[in-house]
Amino acid sequence: MKKSKMIVISVFTVVVVLGLILAIFFPALPLYFQMKKKCPSVNRTIEKFDFTEKIPEDFKKIISCGIALEAPSDMYRKNPDSSVEIYVCGEEQNYNTVIMFYEPSDVSEYNASELSYDELKPFCSYINEDVPQSLYEFQKLGLSLNTDDFNMRDKELAETFLRLAVSKELLAGQDKCSHVYSFENNCAEGFIYEYETQKNDTEHIIEIYRAGKYNTEYSVLVRTENPETAKQILKSIEITEE
């Protein structure tokens, strides 16, 4: 009986000592497990949108809402009397390509309500990145996170990481979109979010900004049955407004 009691005490002592060691040397460990549960896409890689094929010569230019792009020549505006510009081609109610333009959004008053400048500064210093000054830079920071940036020994840094990781999950979790691409050409930069739809086609939402100027966000939706057509349209996108 005494021997069993001593074993229990010994095991309990070991558990307590291990707990103290973890609490002292790895205070952010509970936050790590919380992050892994809440943010299964934390290590998701942003892919580079790299499409080098030529755009077909018979494509036509469409300009709307500060964006110009090339699209199949048989596309036409579905709703000429509406303020929302939607272009389609294919059979009625079963279009093989849809392009929807959104009005530009003024994000010059961006305020990282999730995290203040003072909260972001230590974390950005830790990962050797500049503190975001715009919505685009904040999204870029969040989307670039992975568990290598998690600091087990600093609870404050770990809490900031967790909040950024939650934002990443809400923005581009794998249950929401199938791929996230970085987009960059000679005039614009931003992100492309790819979604698989129930109609067995692919939908892309593009959010871009004029290179180096992040006060205005330009957005367009492209849905196609043919992935090659989607890439051709996406490659052609440019910002027309100064």
Side-chain angles (χ1 to χ4, degrees):
M1 185 69 179
K2 288 183 177 180
K3 186 176 181 180
S4 299
K5 188 175 181 179
M6 288 299 297
I7 292 174
V8 171
I9 293 173
S10 297
V11 171
F12 178 76
T13 302
V14 170
V15 170
V16 170
V17 171
L18 285 175
L20 287 172
I21 291 173
L22 291 174
I24 293 171
F25 293 101
F26 303 103
L29 188 59
L31 289 170
Y32 179 83
F33 291 118
Q34 185 179 347
M35 177 270 298
K36 293 290 285 184
K37 182 179 180 180
K38 286 185 174 182
C39 311
S41 305
V42 66
N43 283 323
R44 179 176 210 175
T45 303
I46 302 177
E47 304 168 56
K48 184 178 180 181
F49 180 73
D50 190 12
F51 182 70
T52 57
E53 299 298 321
K54 290 184 178 180
I55 299 171
E57 293 183 1
D58 62 345
F59 270 29
K60 67 179 181 180
K61 179 169 285 190
I62 300 175
I63 301 175
S64 178
C65 299
I67 287 179
L69 53 77
E70 301 285 333
S73 58
D74 56 347
M75 296 202 75
Y76 61 93
R77 186 169 175 183
K78 180 185 177 185
N79 55 343
D81 298 326
S82 172
S83 60
V84 179
E85 294 200 25
I86 301 176
Y87 291 81
V88 298
C89 65
E91 298 179 5
E92 185 75 21
Q93 305 303 323
N94 191 29
Y95 305 114
N96 57 52
T97 304
V98 176
I99 299 175
M100 180 186 296
F101 294 90
Y102 299 94
E103 287 294 330
S105 299
D106 182 357
V107 292
S108 58
E109 297 299 321
Y110 159 74
N111 183 357
S113 56
E114 297 93 342
L115 289 161
S116 69
Y117 181 92
D118 290 339
E119 289 172 314
L120 282 169
K121 188 175 180 180
F123 180 78
C124 290
S125 177
Y126 169 66
I127 63 173
N128 198 29
E129 293 286 347
D130 293 332
V131 179
Q133 301 294 318
S134 66
L135 176 63
Y136 168 65
E137 291 167 318
F138 181 76
Q139 291 174 334
K140 187 175 181 180
L141 173 66
L143 289 171
S144 66
L145 287 180
N146 62 65
T147 48
D148 290 341
D149 302 318
F150 191 93
N151 191 319
M152 291 282 192
R153 295 173 179 260
D154 191 311
K155 191 175 180 180
E156 181 180 339
L157 293 178
E159 286 174 345
T160 302
F161 180 99
L162 175 59
R163 293 166 71 181
L164 286 168
V166 170
S167 294
K168 177 179 181 178
E169 195 69 30
L170 293 173
L171 189 64
Q174 291 180 353
D175 63 331
K176 294 178 175 63
C177 57
S178 54
H179 297 276
V180 182
Y181 300 95
S182 63
F183 178 89
E184 185 174 350
N185 60 24
N186 59 351
C187 73
E189 54 189 313
F191 305 106
I192 300 173
Y193 302 94
E194 180 179 296
Y195 305 83
E196 302 300 328
T197 74
Q198 295 180 347
K199 293 183 178 180
N200 200 30
D201 55 12
T202 305
E203 183 173 286
H204 297 85
I205 295 179
I206 306 94
E207 296 177 352
I208 58 174
Y209 308 81
R210 181 165 291 283
K213 299 178 181 179
Y214 309 123
N215 289 338
T216 305
E217 180 184 89
Y218 300 87
S219 304
V220 62
L221 177 149
V222 177
R223 188 171 72 240
T224 63
E225 291 180 353
N226 187 338
E228 195 77 3
T229 301
K231 292 177 182 177
Q232 291 164 345
I233 295 171
L234 294 171
K235 179 188 176 182
S236 71
I237 289 177
E238 295 180 346
I239 295 175
T240 59
E241 294 183 343
E242 292 297 331

